[in-house]
């Protein structure tokens, strides 16, 4: 595999991890759909790491965010999987290389290339029967047989509650965990939990927004 290092623990997505694994066991194209910053990439990476031993010919991460045109997709897939295509039609050569492989390709940040990617994915899935694709995107690829995992924000307390109960909610867990990664002395308290709940509610449980709130959390909540 060529999976990026997981620098942070995945918090509050246990059910989604289980769902994605079940979908990938039964289907060959699964797309994680959700708004920007919701945590699609982290979720896909966590699932990909769990499946390294499942696919005999590897699990390969393809970051499509850096691509600017659809004709770059096939070469990017090949490079990620360590496949030498040589000269000629890249899509045909990629299909030939993948034809007999038990492989999972993880296609991250697909939204700006959906039309071209959909056409290539159709070709690959039809011609490479052991290939599976896991995609992340703001929108579905809209292909027959595509299974969707629609990602929502992390669970947020619906209102004021005790520190003990609030810590059962993933958004609060993430806020405290990320703040502690910056300052190991940081701890939520009975006095500060109300402000933490309100902050997570304002951020709609969006993981990236909670990450960005670390400094605010430490300055504001730690004083409570």
């Amino acid at each position: 595999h060529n999976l990026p290092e997981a620098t942070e623990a995945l918090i509050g997505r246990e059910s989604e991890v289980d769902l994605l694994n079940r979908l990938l066991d039964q289907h060959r194209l699964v797309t994680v759909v959700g708004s920007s910053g919701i945590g699609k990439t982290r979720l896909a990476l966590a699932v990909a790491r769990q499946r390294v031993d499942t696919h005999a010919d590897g699990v390969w991460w393809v970051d499509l965010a850096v691509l600017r045109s659809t004709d770059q997709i096939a070469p990017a897939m090949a490079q990620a999987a360590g496949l030498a295509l040589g000269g000629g039609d890249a899509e045909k050569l990629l299909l030939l290389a993948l034809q007999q492989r038990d492989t999972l390709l993880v296609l991250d940040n697909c939204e700006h290339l959906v039309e071209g990617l959909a056409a290539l994915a159709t070709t690959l899935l039809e011609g490479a029967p052991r290939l599976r694709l896991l995609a992340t995107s703001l929108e579905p690829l809209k292909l027959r047989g595509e299974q969707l995992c629609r990602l929502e924000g992390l669970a947020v307390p619906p209102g004021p509650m005790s520190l003990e109960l609030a810590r059962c909610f993933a958004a609060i867990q993430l806020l405290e965990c990320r703040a502690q990664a910056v300052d190991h002395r940081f701890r939520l308290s009975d006095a500060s939990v109300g402000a933490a709940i309100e902050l997570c509610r304002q951020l709609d449980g969006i993981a990236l927004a909670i990450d960005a709130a670390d400094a605010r959390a430490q300055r504001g909540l730690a004083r409570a």
Side-chain angles (χ1 to χ4, degrees):
H1 69 80
N2 67 334
L3 300 174
E5 289 295 325
T7 58
E8 299 166 337
L10 184 69
I11 293 174
R13 295 299 190 191
E14 293 82 5
S15 62
E16 289 88 349
V17 168
D18 290 344
L19 172 61
L20 278 183
N21 273 309
R22 290 198 305 271
L23 289 175
L24 285 167
D25 285 341
Q26 300 170 16
H27 304 278
R28 297 178 56 222
L29 172 61
V30 180
T31 304
V32 182
V33 178
S35 61
S36 295
I38 206 75
K40 301 184 295 296
T41 295
R42 286 178 182 166
L43 175 61
L45 178 57
V47 171
R49 288 193 166 280
Q50 290 186 2
R51 300 188 68 85
V52 167
D53 294 333
T54 302
H55 302 278
D57 296 300
V59 175
W60 308 102
W61 187 269
V62 188
D63 183 5
L64 300 184
V66 299
L67 306 186
R68 293 293 172 263
S69 63
T70 56
D71 59 4
Q72 296 176 304
I73 301 176
M77 289 181 178
Q79 181 178 16
L83 303 173
L85 297 185
D89 187 312
E91 294 189 5
K92 290 181 180 178
L93 292 170
L94 178 62
L95 175 58
L96 184 63
L98 291 172
Q99 212 161 30
Q100 302 302 322
R101 289 177 177 262
D102 174 11
T103 297
L104 173 65
L105 292 180
V106 187
L107 311 174
D108 193 33
N109 297 302
C110 299
E111 51 275 348
H112 63 302
L113 298 170
V114 163
E115 185 174 342
L117 176 60
L120 176 57
T122 299
T123 298
L124 294 178
L125 291 170
E126 288 177 351
R130 301 174 71 196
L131 174 68
R132 277 174 164 72
L133 302 178
L134 172 60
T136 75
S137 180
L138 297 177
E139 59 180 286
L141 302 185
K142 298 180 181 178
L143 296 180
R144 187 178 67 177
E146 178 183 22
Q147 302 296 305
L148 298 181
C149 173
R150 294 190 180 275
L151 208 56
E152 305 294 339
L154 294 169
V156 178
M161 61 181 61
S162 69
L163 176 60
E164 181 180 4
L165 289 177
R167 279 183 169 147
C168 296
F169 290 81
I172 298 296
Q173 294 171 22
L174 180 63
L175 177 64
E176 189 167 29
C177 179
R178 296 294 185 257
Q180 288 173 353
V182 178
D183 181 352
H184 70 277
R185 299 168 299 177
F186 179 87
R187 294 291 186 278
L188 286 174
S189 66
D190 290 327
S192 64
V193 66
I197 292 172
E198 180 58 28
L199 176 59
C200 290
R201 286 172 59 83
Q202 290 176 5
L203 299 176
D204 296 322
I206 296 175
L208 187 62
I210 293 173
D211 283 348
D214 284 349
R216 177 180 173 184
Q218 291 177 69
R219 290 194 303 269
L221 301 181
R223 289 197 297 266

